[in-house]
């Protein structure tokens, strides 16, 4: 996200979500939802969560409802590039933080993820990203 544009992020999200970068078998493994319901929240970690319908890991991606996304957060930045393959929608969001944002010892929430949920709900009201993690 530090060396790309929002347009490139949307293009990447579309390619990853559609599976066009992988074989059908590899893409099926990438978006497999078998971790849902098999993990628990890490104590004291604002960005750690149980794997469920709202938020679970695939191979190199996060799965949120029917959305396929990546949500990097590091070095004062956070971002989301997401795809809803069934509707051919791709969304990219990038956020920067001030130094004061990191004063909370519990961690900084990924604000790009929160913005993505709002935008995704407008873009696909019938298949909005789940609001809870």
């Amino acid at each position: 996200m530090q060396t790309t544009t929002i347009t490139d992020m949307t293009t990447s999200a579309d390619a990853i979500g559609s599976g066009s970068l992988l074989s059908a078998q590899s893409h099926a493994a990438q978006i497999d939802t078998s971790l849902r319901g098999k993990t628990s929240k890490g104590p004291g970690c604002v960005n750690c969560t149980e794997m469920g319908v709202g938020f679970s890991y695939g191979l190199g991606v996060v799965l949120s409802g029917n959305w396929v996304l990546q949500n990097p957060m590091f070095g004062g930045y956070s971002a989301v590039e997401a795809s809803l393959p069934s509707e051919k929608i791709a969304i990219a969001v990038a956020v920067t933080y001030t130094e004061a944002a990191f004063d909370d010892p519990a961690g900084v929430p990924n604000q790009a993820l929160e913005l993505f949920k709002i935008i995704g709900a407008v873009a696909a009201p019938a298949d909005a990203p789940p609001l809870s993690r």
Side-chain angles (χ1 to χ4, degrees):
M1 79 183 180
Q2 291 179 328
T3 59
T4 192
T5 68
I6 290 292
T7 301
D8 287 344
M9 288 173 63
T10 346
T11 301
S12 294
D14 182 51
I16 292 166
S18 71
S20 66
L21 301 174
L22 301 171
S23 68
Q25 181 181 11
S26 293
H27 183 62
Q30 181 182 40
I31 60 171
D32 180 63
T33 59
S34 62
L35 286 178
R36 289 181 175 171
K38 296 183 181 174
T39 62
S40 59
K41 182 172 177 58
C45 178
V46 73
N47 291 312
C48 301
T49 187
E50 295 179 18
M51 300 296 111
V53 172
F55 191 93
S56 61
Y57 290 111
L59 294 175
V61 295
V62 171
L63 308 168
S64 183
N66 293 316
W67 292 81
V68 179
L69 61 109
Q70 294 179 317
N71 62 336
M73 183 172 164
F74 54 90
Y77 297 87
S78 67
V80 170
E81 61 176 36
S83 172
L84 181 60
S86 63
E87 299 294 323
K88 298 188 184 329
I89 296 172
I91 296 171
V93 179
V95 174
T96 59
Y97 297 87
T98 64
E99 187 176 330
F102 298 94
D103 290 344
D104 184 353
V108 178
N110 186 330
Q111 294 301 326
L113 187 61
E114 299 309 314
L115 288 171
F116 152 68
K117 291 176 187 178
I118 294 166
I119 296 166
V122 171
D127 204 353
L131 295 179
S132 63
R133 293 180 82 190

